[in-house]
Amino acid sequence: MDNNFCVGCPGIQQPLCAVKDIYNGITLNEVISKAKKSASKYLVCHKNAIKIENGAMVITEKCDSCGLCKISCSNQLEKEYDKKIEKPIFAELGKLNIFLSNIFSDALVATEVKTEGNFRQKRIDAVIGKENSVILIKVLANVDKYNFYHRSYEEVMKEYKNKYPELGINIVFIVPESKIKKARQLEYDVICIDEIKSIV
Ligand code: SF4
Ligand code: SF4
């Protein structure tokens, strides 16, 4: 990653490359109704490698070039990234939220989304809420768990299809690029992170 992309955000103490408001732990009903109630501030960098000095970002040697700060920069309109971004987003759902919020900036993105139905309360890793549809996202580091989570997410999908018959609901599984071949050989319906833009 070329670290020299910052052109500065004068007068802003916490630019978007450093801290982002995210929706975490809200309910699926809130995502569907676009009830933006309780955003919380979340640090972008997973290596604590960012300093803001005089309105500009300084990247320290702790950086591993994951690219999450670059995709979060308000001046980077193309939102380009490479597979190094897998590291923070498979490690923390908050970083996944920041990633998805930047890719789907016109949607309501939430993580650790609570669902209710004829089952014990479940949490969906991430939900992308569009105007008349939602996408339920599972990040799956261990592809052997695909069938288990697929059944679980399908239960949620059926429950909310009954509640909201007009709503489009899809399920997407994201696996690490190193495991996509194995998952597809097993005929699992999965994508890797560089295919994310194709899901909406
Ligand atoms: S948001 Fe972009 S331009 Fe602003 S300080 Fe951060 S990296 Fe620099
Ligand atoms: S590229 Fe990743 S590790 Fe490096 S400063 Fe940005 S967010 Fe932190």
Side-chain angles (χ1 to χ4, degrees), residues 1 44-47 49-50 59 63-70:
M1 184 182 95
V44 172
C45 182
H46 70 132
K47 301 294 269 183
I50 290 175
I59 296 179
C63 170
D64 68 358
S65 299
C66 75
L68 194 58
C69 60
K70 189 171 183 183

Side-chain angles (χ1 to χ4, degrees), residues 10-84:
I12 298 180
Q13 285 209 330
Q14 292 184 331
L16 291 175
C17 60
V19 179
K20 179 138 177 78
D21 285 337
I22 66 167
Y23 296 97
N24 193 63
I26 66 174
T27 67
L28 187 50
N29 287 337
E30 286 174 307
V31 178
I32 292 166
S33 62
K34 311 288 180 295
K36 296 186 178 182
K37 279 186 193 156
S38 48
S40 47
K41 299 213 173 289
Y42 207 85
L43 286 179
V44 172
C45 182
H46 70 132
K47 301 294 269 183
N48 199 19
I50 290 175
K51 285 194 255 170
I52 302 299
E53 290 178 358
N54 302 322
M57 180 175 67
V58 177
I59 296 179
T60 72
E61 70 286 349
K62 291 189 226 163
C63 170
D64 68 358
S65 299
C66 75
L68 194 58
C69 60
K70 189 171 183 183
I71 208 174
S72 303
C73 168
S74 39
N75 285 302
Q76 297 288 320
L77 302 181
E78 294 302 318
K79 304 298 179 194
E80 284 167 2
Y81 61 93
D82 63 35
K83 76 167 197 174
K84 284 192 196 146

